Amino acid sequence: MLRLENLPALHSALAALAEPVDGWLLFDFRGINPILAAVVGPEVVGSRRAYVYVPRDGNPVALVHAVDAELWREWPPAWRRIVWVRREELARELTALVGGRTVAMEYSPGGAVPYGDYVPAGTLELVRGAGATPVSSAELVTRYCSAWSAADLASHLRAAATLSDIARSAIGRIGERARTVAPATEHEVTGWVLDALDRAGLVTHSPPSVSYGANAARVHYDAPEEGSLAIVPGALLLLDLWAKEPGGVYGDQTWMVAIGAPSARAAGLWSAVRDARDAALDLLRSRLEAGEPVTGAEADRAARQVIAAAGHADRIVCRTGHSIDRVGLHGYGPTIDDTESFDARRILPGVGFSVEPGIYFPGEIGLRSEVNGHARVDGLDVTPGDYQRELIVV
């Protein structure tokens, strides 16, 4: 539940906006807006419409239905909680709260950024009918939900280092078994990684992706217990793993391994993917070091241009990276995307994200190289510190 001690950070985020608003109007109905749950708390998500108005100065106000009022029992007593029953009451109270004000809401003009576009069109009409002017809350979400604290960064750095160690250890074991009569299978390696995460005290919401040969072209491949491929010389292995400390921020990495000497084609594709990753990182780093604005869309284009120059633009199937924040592995901050969407949100100091360009030939071969970035006021942190520069050969 949103607490009194959270209010200064909320007010600071509102005060820092490039385009000022009068307040943040959070809306939810049956969980359709995860941002409200992230800001206020998942325990208040009920079966009726709910609003929370956070003015630029002053205390938040909750506008909740009588059926769900019990869910709000931990709402600070010093803050107003208005309970409504009839729709006429809702309209009247909403008008009193936000009429004549400019309010940030989870709305993206033209649906440009779906990661911040959760308020239905009809609700926007209702808010406008109450006399308010809704604008996008994108920058506000970035500042409040997605900027890491010093503790968040420290937790991420520890998780990233551990993930790197686990990946390299698994790759070594795969190499030891690859030419024996009992090579490791994709599913077996999945179990190794999960056991290692558990021993390290890290948690994850889903198993790693261990993809050998043509399976690496299946972006979200999950190795089955039955029918999992044996990892033997002659193809590439893609190992994608993610985890965090309890209460911490995720690390998310993808490693590429040649089992035996790679073909000229595999080596060339690896170079294109690595160089695309580094082009995005170089752009982000140079802009941040210079104190110049940079967006996720620009970084995505930088990566895409490298892959296109190598002749594989038609083998890009997704954006270059996703947000990583304290809310989750796929967070609500800026994405590295001018492919699936046009993410013109600025990469602000404190935000984290993945950078993971890939090239995919279905039924043949797939490659991806993934690292994580954390924007600083004066530059860019890239994790893990020993991220992959060359194709690993075992």
Side-chain angles (χ1 to χ4, degrees):
M1 176 67 77
L2 187 65
R3 302 287 184 187
L4 292 168
E5 56 266 29
N6 304 130
L7 194 54
L10 264 173
H11 282 156
S12 293
L14 282 159
L17 294 180
E19 298 182 7
V21 298
D22 294 303
W24 192 356
L25 183 62
L26 293 147
F27 165 83
D28 187 52
F29 175 64
R30 295 185 176 182
I32 64 172
N33 182 8
I35 303 296
L36 182 140
V39 174
V40 181
E43 65 271 25
V44 302
V45 175
S47 62
R48 304 297 198 275
R49 288 176 287 179
Y51 293 84
V52 172
Y53 180 59
V54 184
R56 190 171 53 200
D57 299 301
N59 290 333
V61 179
L63 180 55
V64 303
H65 192 271
V67 168
D68 291 333
E70 180 62 20
L71 301 175
W72 296 76
R73 58 187 175 275
E74 299 299 325
W75 186 249
W79 298 348
R80 287 179 66 203
R81 186 189 66 172
I82 304 167
V83 178
W84 64 278
V85 174
R86 296 185 57 82
R87 56 185 173 83
E88 295 88 352
E89 295 175 83
L90 172 61
R92 183 178 66 247
E93 296 293 353
L94 192 59
T95 299
L97 268 182
V98 299
R101 295 179 170 88
T102 298
V103 295
M105 298 189 75
E106 284 63 69
Y107 136 73
S108 179
V113 182
Y115 319 103
D117 196 28
Y118 298 109
V119 177
T123 298
L124 289 172
E125 291 173 358
L126 178 64
V127 171
R128 291 187 180 108
T133 302
V135 297
S136 174
S137 64
E139 184 186 345
L140 191 51
V141 171
T142 297
R143 291 185 179 279
Y144 184 73
C145 296
S146 299
W148 300 0
S149 67
D152 292 334
L153 176 58
S155 176
H156 170 82
L157 290 172
R158 290 190 295 269
T162 301
L163 285 171
S164 175
D165 290 344
I166 290 171
R168 290 183 180 276
S169 175
I171 290 166
R173 292 178 68 183
I174 290 166
E176 291 170 0
R177 295 262 301 270
R179 294 167 181 81
T180 70
V181 295
T185 67
E186 297 165 316
H187 187 265
E188 186 179 6
V189 176
T190 300
W192 294 352
V193 172
L194 289 174
D195 288 345
L197 294 177
D198 187 59
R199 290 193 300 271
L202 299 183
V203 295
T204 182
H205 66 71
S206 57
S209 182
V210 182
S211 313
Y212 174 71
N215 285 336
R218 301 165 64 180
V219 180
H220 282 161
Y221 176 71
D222 186 6
E225 185 172 359
E226 298 295 328
S228 185
L229 294 181
I231 304 171
V232 296
L236 299 183
L237 173 74
L238 182 155
L239 173 57
D240 188 352
L241 67 168
W242 50 89
K244 66 174 183 173
E245 296 179 339
V249 169
Y250 269 93
D252 187 8
Q253 302 167 14
T254 302
W255 299 76
M256 292 302 309
V257 186
I259 313 300
S263 67
R265 182 192 189 197
L269 291 173
W270 160 254
S271 293
V273 166
R274 177 201 58 199
D275 293 350
R277 177 200 69 193
D278 291 347
L281 293 173
D282 289 346
L283 174 71
L284 290 162
R285 184 183 295 109
S286 64
R287 293 279 190 86
L288 289 165
E289 287 177 349
E292 297 173 352
V294 63
T295 68
E298 291 175 294
D300 182 79
R301 286 198 297 274
R304 170 178 283 275
Q305 287 168 2
V306 173
I307 293 175
H312 305 302
D314 61 336
R315 298 302 178 176
I316 298 171
V317 302
C318 59
R319 67 194 175 201
T320 296
H322 57 83
S323 166
I324 302 174
D325 60 26
R326 70 177 66 89
V327 180
L329 174 60
H330 288 252
Y332 300 118
T335 58
I336 310 302
D337 191 6
D338 189 25
T339 299
E340 302 170 35
S341 66
F342 176 61
D343 200 332
R345 292 177 289 178
R346 282 185 59 186
I347 303 293
L348 297 172
V351 303
F353 44 86
S354 72
V355 176
E356 48 181 309
I359 297 174
Y360 307 93
F361 290 81
E364 299 179 40
I365 189 172
L367 299 91
R368 180 169 65 252
S369 180
E370 180 181 15
V371 297
N372 300 155
H374 168 260
R376 301 193 314 267
V377 173
D378 59 350
L380 180 71
D381 298 312
V382 180
T383 67
D386 62 343
Y387 67 87
Q388 186 174 2
R389 270 79 168 184
E390 302 297 336
L391 183 61
I392 298 171
V393 182
V394 297

